[in-house]
Amino acid sequence: MSIELVGVIGGGTMGAGIAEVCAKAGSSVLILETKQEYADAAQARIEKSIARGVKAGKLDQAAADAALARVGVTLDMNDFADRDLVIEAAPEIEALKADIFSKLDAIVKREGILASNTSSIPLIKMANATQRPGQVVGIHFFNPVPVMPLVEVVVSLVTAEETVATVTEYVRDTLGKKAVRAGDRAGFIVNALLIPYLLSAVRMFESGYASAEDIDAAMKGGCGYPMGPLTLCDTVGLDIALAAAESMHQEFGEPHMSPPPLLRRMVDAGHLGRKTGQGFYSYK
Ligand SMILES: NC(=O)c1ccc[n+]([C@@H]2O[C@H](COP(=O)([O-])OP(=O)(O)OC[C@H]3O[C@@H](n4cnc5c(N)ncnc54)[C@H](O)[C@@H]3O)[C@@H](O)[C@H]2O)c1
């Protein structure tokens, strides 16, 4: 099956980015939002991002106009009946996602594929909410979606290989992203490796063993990483890092996935990193 008509559930940080890359790649995209003001905000975010791309010389005005003309918004899920692929990017709440998948299953044509951009909820929970579990798959993009080249294709125990092949081809050949395949367990590939590393850096800083500046300088200069781990925590958002650690610790129960007290206290204090102006470093 070739994918031409795409639906995106939620036009927030991820949904707007996903809609943008799909539209730029030639797909016709419809975004579902819950309120007109959120739908308008999603459209405005996409327009701004595409305009930035034009300014940076990444696409010309004609391509930008054509991409924008391929993006529509709706408040009615019934408009998704003809979609070949729906990518859900609603908030990370299991009951909400299960409800969305159950409703999508009743509306989207029988051969349509239902995907989730979830970071931590097992795909099987969404698959079980439908009558088409073999056509439910994870498509995990990275933020900011137009910039980050990687997508993790997340395969549950019941995802059909045909679904994996269709989605992987779309991600790789149409969207031009690097696709990797991961099993349906917390952290997939990237967070399973990254989060314990970030937590180790926080623990090292917390113990007073080395300063934040020296920890970051060591990993940049000694390992060739573009950014040190504490700067990366501030960039990702300490709340996001904490949530990822908690979901992996819950799944595996391993000590190195347990969030250190300092991370929890900083989140409690609202020191979430760049987005609040204070994390391991000050951005004020
Ligand atoms: N932000 C990230 O860095 C990141 C990275 C990878 C994956 N994710 C995952 O992507 C998903 C979305 O995250 P986000 O950061 O874009 O969240 P967000 O809060 O920015 O956006 C969520 C959007 O969904 C809309 N929404 C809520 N309920 C809805 C419903 N019933 N129908 C349609 N729209 C609805 C909201 O109005 C909002 O605009 C989550 O599952 C998250 O775990 C996030």
Side-chain angles (χ1 to χ4, degrees):
M1 186 179 82
S2 84
I3 290 172
E4 275 150 32
L5 305 179
V6 174
V8 177
I9 306 274
T13 307
M14 297 304 288
I18 294 166
E20 179 187 332
V21 297
C22 293
K24 284 197 292 204
S27 303
S28 168
V29 186
L30 199 50
I31 301 172
L32 178 75
E33 259 296 348
T34 51
K35 286 186 183 170
Q36 191 57 48
E37 60 189 285
Y38 299 155
D40 293 344
Q43 203 138 28
R45 190 174 301 138
I46 294 169
E47 280 169 18
K48 210 170 146 191
S49 175
I50 289 185
R52 257 199 315 268
V54 172
K55 215 170 161 194
K58 288 183 186 146
L59 74 172
D60 62 26
Q61 194 57 51
D65 292 344
L68 281 173
R70 284 191 287 269
V71 180
V73 288
T74 179
L75 303 180
D76 184 0
M77 196 191 274
N78 287 306
D79 293 339
F80 276 28
D82 61 355
R83 299 291 107 177
D84 301 314
L85 169 68
V86 177
I87 305 172
E88 171 276 314
E92 192 77 340
I93 303 167
E94 187 177 321
L96 172 68
K97 291 196 192 271
D99 182 57
I100 288 171
F101 273 74
S102 159
K103 288 182 175 144
L104 280 174
D105 189 41
I107 290 169
V108 177
K109 63 184 179 183
R110 186 65 198 90
E111 62 275 29
I113 292 175
L114 308 182
S116 176
N117 185 52
T118 181
S119 303
S120 63
I121 299 167
L123 253 295
I124 194 70
K125 307 276 187 193
M126 274 77 95
N128 286 347
T130 74
Q131 302 298 313
R132 61 179 96 182
Q135 288 157 251
V136 174
V137 66
I139 307 184
H140 187 231
F141 290 87
F142 290 78
N143 185 25
V145 181
V147 175
M148 296 298 277
L150 187 73
V151 170
E152 291 174 316
V153 175
V154 185
V155 182
S156 89
L157 292 179
V158 298
T159 307
E161 280 306 318
E162 194 184 339
T163 303
V164 180
T166 303
V167 159
T168 304
E169 192 181 303
Y170 181 69
V171 164
R172 192 187 51 212
D173 300 344
T174 305
L175 301 186
K177 300 277 189 195
K178 170 82 188 161
V180 294
R181 175 183 176 131
D184 184 15
R185 54 176 225 175
F188 311 136
I189 296 173
V190 171
N191 279 346
L193 295 172
L194 175 66
I195 296 295
Y197 159 65
L198 297 183
L199 298 179
S200 298
V202 176
R203 274 189 205 100
M204 184 178 280
F205 173 68
E206 186 177 29
S207 72
Y209 181 77
S211 69
E213 289 79 5
D214 282 352
I215 291 170
D216 280 354
M219 295 314 288
K220 280 171 71 181
C223 293
Y225 288 5
M227 195 184 277
L230 299 175
T231 303
L232 186 52
C233 280
D234 280 357
T235 305
V236 167
L238 270 61
D239 53 334
I240 303 280
L242 176 61
E246 280 173 336
S247 79
M248 289 185 355
H249 188 245
Q250 194 182 354
E251 178 110 319
F252 299 102
E254 292 180 19
H256 71 288
M257 291 171 177
S258 166
L262 179 63
L263 183 61
R264 291 188 191 280
R265 292 303 100 76
M266 288 178 76
V267 171
D268 289 342
H271 295 176
L272 307 184
R274 282 183 199 279
K275 62 187 167 188
T276 60
Q278 181 67 49
F280 291 99
Y281 300 94
S282 179
Y283 302 90
K284 285 168 188 159

